[in-house]
């Protein structure tokens, strides 16, 4: 019998990555979409179109797993609220299952990314780990005593919306907070701080890129930093330090064995992680900081897609047992 296949869809604040995944975690077809400015109906249509596209290439799939950037009520599969997408009070699991004609399972995007890293990736030997995915926002997941911790209704573990600056800027999207870690240290922040640095240093590579009319994104800052541009490197160092202050709280509260940093911004690698580690080494409570590892995601920005697929396999196994 050929190995079972499922579709894993990882949705972030501005883009979606999906694929057909087999039981060996081999990805057979990938699909990418963006949805800047899409309303609720358009957003749901994009999910359906993405699944249809990969399904056309591999029709023999058994289920679909979704990781979405939302507060997902775990038991019901209802998306209660989202900072970045118009997905408040959407019966996501049921709507998608009806439209796709397949079993569907849905969880928060960072929870599924952590599932992949905990079973097969950077923290596969850990029972206590925390994942932060730095992209448009900051998604996060908690592995406590070997289980994904979701809070009382499945909507917890939002470390990105932990306040790190009382007088900081308004948070992103629909978040009512200000000075949240997400607005201080996400991939979007790297782009925003990069643009400010470009204006301060017009002769830097970053400044010349802005003068040439290019939008300064987190990806551009990271690329120029890897090329050695000091202005770009200083942006990553500053954002890395801010991330570090968020991680101080994580280390002190959860005493994890490891913290995994994923999402698109992890392309910056040590340029972001080394300053974060330095802050933790200086500011976190000594006994806990000495044992925590701060590491990049093993699966890079594909953790979420693979974790969504793992969740789909889990749901099939549970159904077979019932
Ligand atoms: Zn917030």
């Amino acid at each position: 019998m050929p190995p079972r296949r499922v579709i894993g869809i990882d949705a972030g604040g501005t883009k979606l990555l999906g694929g057909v995944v087999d039981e060996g975690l081999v990805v057979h077809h990938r699909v990418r979409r963006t949805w800047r400015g899409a309303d609720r109906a358009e957003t749901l249509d994009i999910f359906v179109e993405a699944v249809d596209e990969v399904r056309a290439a591999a029709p023999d799939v058994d289920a679909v797993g979704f990781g979405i950037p939302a507060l997902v009520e775990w038991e019901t599969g209802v998306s209660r609220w989202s900072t970045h997408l118009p997905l408040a009070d959407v019966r996501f699991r049921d709507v998608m299952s009806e439209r796709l004609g397949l079993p569907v399972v849905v969880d928060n995007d960072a929870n599924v990314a952590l599932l992949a890293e905990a079973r097969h990736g950077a923290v596969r030997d850990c029972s206590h780990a925390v994942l932060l995915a730095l992209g448009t926002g900051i998604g996060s997941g908690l592995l406590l005593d070997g289980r994904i911790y979701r809070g009382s209704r499945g909507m917890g573990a939002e470390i990105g919306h932990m306040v790190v600056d009382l007088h900081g800027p308004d948070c992103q999207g629909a978040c009512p907070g200000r000075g949240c870690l997400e607005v201080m240290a996400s991939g979007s922040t790297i782009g925003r701080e990069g643009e400010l640095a470009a204006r301060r240093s017009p002769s830097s590579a970053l400044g010349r890129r802005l003068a040439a009319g290019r939008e300064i994104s987190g990806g551009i800052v990271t690329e120029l930093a890897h090329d050695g541009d000091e202005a770009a490197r200083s942006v990553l160092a500053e954002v890395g330090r801010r991330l570090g202050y968020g991680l101080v709280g994580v280390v002190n509260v959860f005493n994890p064995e490891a913290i995994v940093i994923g999402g698109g911004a992890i392309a910056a690698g040590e340029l972001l992680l080394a300053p974060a580690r330095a802050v933790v080494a200086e500011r976190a409570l000594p006994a806990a900081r000495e044992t925590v590892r701060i590491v990049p995601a093993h699966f890079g920005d594909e953790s979420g897609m693979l974790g969504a697929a793992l969740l789909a396999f889990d749901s099939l196994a549970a159904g077979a047992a019932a």
Side-chain angles (χ1 to χ4, degrees), residues 58-81:
D60 56 338
V61 295
D62 295 318
V64 187
F66 289 92
I68 62 174
L71 302 185
V72 178
E73 210 170 62
W74 170 243
E75 295 292 332
T76 61
V78 172
S79 171
R80 285 291 176 203
W81 193 81

Side-chain angles (χ1 to χ4, degrees), residues 152-188:
S152 62
R153 302 279 300 277
M155 298 180 271
E158 290 289 336
I159 291 163
H161 297 283
M162 188 172 68
V163 175
V164 293
D165 183 350
L166 289 183
H167 307 292
D170 287 343
C171 192
Q172 306 190 130
C175 176
R178 60 188 296 184
C180 296
L181 184 61
E182 151 160 340
V183 73
M184 304 300 291
S186 63
S188 307

Side-chain angles (χ1 to χ4, degrees), residues 200-215:
R200 282 196 305 271
S201 309
S203 62
S204 65
L206 206 51
R208 294 196 301 274
R209 197 65 76 98
L210 182 68
R214 294 284 300 275
E215 184 189 351

Side-chain angles (χ1 to χ4, degrees), residues 68-231:
I68 62 174
L71 302 185
V72 178
E73 210 170 62
W74 170 243
E75 295 292 332
T76 61
V78 172
S79 171
R80 285 291 176 203
W81 193 81
S82 171
T83 310
H84 297 283
L85 295 182
L87 292 177
D89 295 320
V90 174
R91 292 164 43 249
F92 191 92
R93 184 183 68 196
D94 292 348
V95 168
M96 282 297 143
S97 183
E98 284 160 19
R99 292 186 63 173
L100 298 168
L102 281 169
V104 164
V105 61
V106 59
D107 196 359
N108 173 267
D109 57 343
N111 285 354
V112 298
L114 177 57
L115 185 66
E117 294 293 333
R119 287 215 190 139
H120 304 288
V123 287
R124 62 185 174 277
D125 55 343
C126 294
S127 298
H128 299 84
V130 178
L131 175 137
L132 272 72
L134 276 53
T136 307
I138 294 183
S140 59
L142 299 174
L143 182 77
L144 304 180
D145 280 324
R147 301 176 59 140
I148 303 282
Y149 178 83
R150 297 183 173 88
S152 62
R153 302 279 300 277
M155 298 180 271
E158 290 289 336
I159 291 163
H161 297 283
M162 188 172 68
V163 175
V164 293
D165 183 350
L166 289 183
H167 307 292
D170 287 343
C171 192
Q172 306 190 130
C175 176
R178 60 188 296 184
C180 296
L181 184 61
E182 151 160 340
V183 73
M184 304 300 291
S186 63
S188 307
T189 311
I190 295 172
R192 282 197 298 274
E193 293 292 331
E195 186 171 337
L196 294 174
R199 294 188 194 286
R200 282 196 305 271
S201 309
S203 62
S204 65
L206 206 51
R208 294 196 301 274
R209 197 65 76 98
L210 182 68
R214 294 284 300 275
E215 184 189 351
I216 303 297
S217 63
I220 294 273
V221 174
T222 298
E223 176 194 320
L224 295 178
H226 281 307
D227 289 346
D229 183 55
E230 282 304 321

